[in-house]
Amino acid sequence: MYGFYRVASSVPKVQIANTDKNIQEIIKIFEQENKNESSIVLFPELCITGYTVGDLFLNQNLLDSQYQALDKLLVKSKGISTIAIVGIVVSFEHRLYNCAAVIQDGKILGIVPKSYLPNKNEFYEKRYFQSGLRIKSKTLKLLNQEIPFGVDLLFSDENNITFGIEICEDLWSILPPSNQMAINGANMIFNLSASNELVGKSSYRQELVKTQSARLVCAYVYSSCGVGESSSDTIFGGDALICEYGSTIAKSDRFALENQTIRADIDLEKLIWLRNHESYFGDSIPSEVRIIKINSTPKISKLDRYIDKHPFIPSNEKMKQEVCEEITNIQAHGLIKRLTHINLKKVVLGISGGLDSTLALLATYKAFEILNLDVKGIIAITMPGFGTTSRTKSNAIKLCEALGVTIKEIPISEISLKEFEALGHDKDIHDVTYENVQARARTSILMNLANKEGGIVIGTGDLSEIALGWCTYNGDHMSMYSLNSGIPKTLISYLVEYFTYKSDIKEVLIDILNTPISPELLPPDSDKISQETQSIIGPYELHDFFLYHFIRYGAKPSKILFLADIAFEEYSKDEIKKWLDIFIKRFFTQQFKRNAMPDGVKVGTISLSPRADWRMPSDASFEEWLKY
């Protein structure tokens, strides 16, 4: 299943000090999660006895009944490969410890004590328990088993799973134990907790878990006691969370009156690759740990996880204004630095009536506003050729007029015909020469005009085109500053759509958004675009998906195909594979263009600049990537 494993976090209904009743609920959930193909199911802190039993922790009868209940769970777990992590009290060397027991197939594989004990306000754990912070390399005997005991335990299978355990306050400490667990190889952390509810605490707790999963590049699974705990002085809401690398992918509804379990499919293969990519993991110093071998856990028969078909587009629509402002600010300030460094107050850019040139113009306009420069210094050039339609030309002019920038028209048809004649090329043969002569003519005009005006040429090509090499070498491939080079096509559309809030340009932007993407280098059909890019190289939404997973997570083509088939119901698997093959071939063969690409600002996590982010020889073979 391409490195996906299902994990669960459960909040069982608890009766204080009723260990028999509590273990029945735990067993019921555990057996169900095995049917649900969960590899590991996590339960809250001290879930067999209840967290709030108070001085009953010091009563021998409670401990005996807890051990009897635990034995029932061991019996029920025989022959089951799902792992249960439960909270128990352990007596070791005449001291009590708040612990987590890891159970699989009738055995307790290991017991991990809590390191940091809260002893303030409503918490007073030191009244009962000792810190396990210094317990390492120990074993204890429990229920006729000799069990590894200590904070130096990690649990690992023969494939991708390696997990560690911390308990509640451990995460809130100055130096959470999970930090060192991750350094030692744990890619999943499980936290058994008893975190009570206070105004604002839930959001802080979620941010804490989410941030820790990001810092450690891991999955972090969290389960806290529910409303069955005592409400004498405080209440527990039953917060369950599953986070992966800074994202919350499953969350419980707090204050549930019955058992509640959340589950999620974790991409461990992705996490492992991300760690290989992060230099600070290599610089961190491992410590001595004991690796406890676990048996293979249940395999997922069908992935149950949302796969975002547009990973570059922010999922939170409410934050659209903030995100778009940030992106265009990054673009604008990149250009501001360039202009102030070379002390110029003019720019030249080609405006086609398409998405890319539209966004480049809008970002440039913003830079001029910030610098308080005359926007007439933005010289927008429309260069109609053999493929230009009245719709795109009209939209380009309308946009420039509405913004008040300088607009000039320089046709390229006659220039191209003269070059065809010089080359001995038949103008009726619409091949690559026919197209590229026009593309290079436009770039030559922009470069020469920039010299004449004392400005620089703003490149309009986007990240998707750069990835595919969908640009003419030393034509639209070249500029003096490439403003869109860090933005993929799907995000370009999102950003242009954002600017429709401006009433004076709303109408023209909507029409630009609805115009087919085209280089407009081939003659139109009755003044309609005849050369649609996406019918030639494939849908940009697919290529952006491929690019994201290929670069961001180093995913194999077979996994990319697997994920895309889930994300895109509108395309058949054969269609997706067809376009994925094209993506792979073009990505490898067009590296020579990226090796010579101009400067351009990085906007998101992915950039293909050969100076900053992506370094690949231009003669690398793609053959191995087509074997899937």
Side-chain angles (χ1 to χ4, degrees), residues 385-554:
F386 302 122
T388 303
T389 60
S390 58
R391 178 183 185 182
T392 53
K393 180 181 175 182
S394 173
N395 282 339
I397 294 171
K398 286 179 184 177
L399 180 61
C400 292
E401 289 177 343
L403 294 174
V405 305
T406 300
I407 176 73
K408 292 186 178 183
E409 180 178 334
I410 304 178
I412 63 164
S413 296
E414 289 301 319
I415 296 172
S416 299
L417 287 171
K418 288 180 180 179
E419 185 151 350
F420 291 156
E421 184 179 350
L423 295 173
H425 183 76
D426 187 340
K427 64 180 176 60
D428 294 321
I429 298 176
H430 299 160
D431 58 5
V432 67
T433 303
Y434 180 87
E435 293 187 39
N436 286 352
V437 162
Q438 296 175 74
R440 293 193 178 102
R442 285 175 171 146
T443 299
S444 177
I445 289 169
L446 293 173
M447 292 285 184
N448 293 330
L449 187 63
N451 291 155
K452 181 178 182 297
E453 295 287 347
I456 60 170
V457 177
I458 302 299
T460 61
D462 62 58
L463 181 65
S464 307
E465 292 177 341
I466 292 166
L468 293 164
W470 190 250
C471 52
T472 299
Y473 191 85
N474 208 33
D476 51 320
H477 156 261
M478 189 48 61
S479 65
M480 295 170 182
Y481 195 71
S482 186
L483 208 54
N484 294 338
S485 61
I487 308 177
K489 188 74 78 177
T490 48
L491 187 54
I492 295 270
S493 300
Y494 180 86
L495 291 164
V496 170
E497 182 184 27
Y498 159 72
F499 279 100
T500 58
Y501 78 87
K502 294 179 176 286
S503 58
D504 54 341
I505 57 174
K506 179 177 180 179
E507 185 178 344
V508 66
L509 290 185
I510 289 174
D511 197 50
I512 289 171
L513 284 162
N514 291 326
T515 302
I517 298 169
S518 172
E520 290 195 312
L521 295 171
L522 297 180
D525 181 9
S526 302
D527 199 31
K528 291 184 179 180
I529 291 172
S530 63
Q531 184 186 23
E532 294 191 16
T533 299
Q534 295 186 92
S535 65
I536 301 169
I537 60 171
Y540 273 116
E541 63 177 353
L542 283 179
H543 287 305
D544 284 356
F545 185 91
F546 303 153
L547 176 66
Y548 180 82
H549 289 277
F550 183 78
I551 299 294
R552 186 78 179 93
Y553 300 126

Side-chain angles (χ1 to χ4, degrees), residues 4 52 259 555:
F4 285 99
T52 53
N259 294 338

Side-chain angles (χ1 to χ4, degrees), residues 592-611:
F592 75 99
K593 294 178 182 177
R594 295 191 289 271
N595 283 347
M597 66 185 283
D599 290 353
V601 64
K602 180 177 180 178
V603 171
T605 55
I606 292 176
S607 167
L608 294 176
S609 167
R611 295 168 296 278

